[in-house]
Structure formats: C-alpha cells, structure tokens
C-alpha cells in the first residue's frame, strides 16, 4: 500500500516520490498528470527532509542555467 507522496522539481522535471511500506518508489510525472515508474534506488532510511539533497546528488548533471536546483513542490 502506498503511503506518503512528495513531489519534487528535479532540474525542470517533476518527480513523485512515494513511501510504500519500508521503501521509496519514484515516478516521473508527465504534463498531463500521468506518471511513469522509474528505477531509482533510494535508501529506505532516507527521511523526507533528505530527499531533495539525494535527488540533487543523483541528477546534478542535468542542471542547466535555467533549471539549476531541486526543490519540493508543496500542494
């Protein structure tokens, strides 16, 4: 069962990170709201507060002058 869900802007791409039991699941969000599961290993003991930095560390090579950061999108 899926628990908490967090949205992040990762250098211009929207990702959803969801807690599923004792693990994290990750999805790319399309402009139409549909999501696609991605294979991203996120340590299960990572906290919500550590997710943005983790995503930054993994995807930093995708940074551009106009999309140079990772941040949580609050709904």
């Amino acid at each position: 069962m899926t628990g908490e869900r967090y949205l992040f802007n990762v250098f211009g791409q929207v990702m959803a990170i969801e807690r599923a039991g004792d693990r994290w699941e990750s999805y790319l969000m399309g402009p139409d709201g549909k999501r696609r599961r991605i294979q991203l290993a996120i340590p299960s003991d990572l906290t919500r507060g550590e997710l943005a930095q983790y995503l930054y560390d993994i995807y930093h090579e995708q940074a551009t002058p106009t999309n140079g950061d990772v941040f949580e999108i609050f709904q």
Side-chain angles (χ1 to χ4, degrees):
M1 178 169 208
T2 302
E4 303 167 51
R5 181 175 105 155
Y6 308 107
L7 293 177
F8 291 88
N9 180 310
V10 180
F11 304 113
Q13 286 193 308
V14 177
M15 285 188 181
I17 308 295
E18 296 182 1
R19 193 70 176 177
D22 64 347
R23 68 183 191 285
W24 292 106
E25 294 181 351
S26 49
Y27 303 87
L28 278 180
M29 303 296 292
D32 57 0
K34 293 183 182 178
R35 62 188 195 162
R36 179 174 52 97
R37 180 89 189 263
I38 58 173
Q39 296 299 314
L40 174 62
I42 301 174
S44 62
D45 62 344
L46 220 61
T47 67
R48 173 187 184 173
E50 297 171 314
L51 286 171
Q53 182 63 51
Y54 184 80
L55 293 170
Y56 186 96
D57 292 344
I58 297 295
Y59 290 104
H60 69 274
E61 292 178 2
Q62 294 182 12
T64 67
T66 57
N67 286 308
D69 206 0
V70 173
F71 56 89
E72 187 170 354
I73 301 168
F74 296 96
Q75 299 179 344

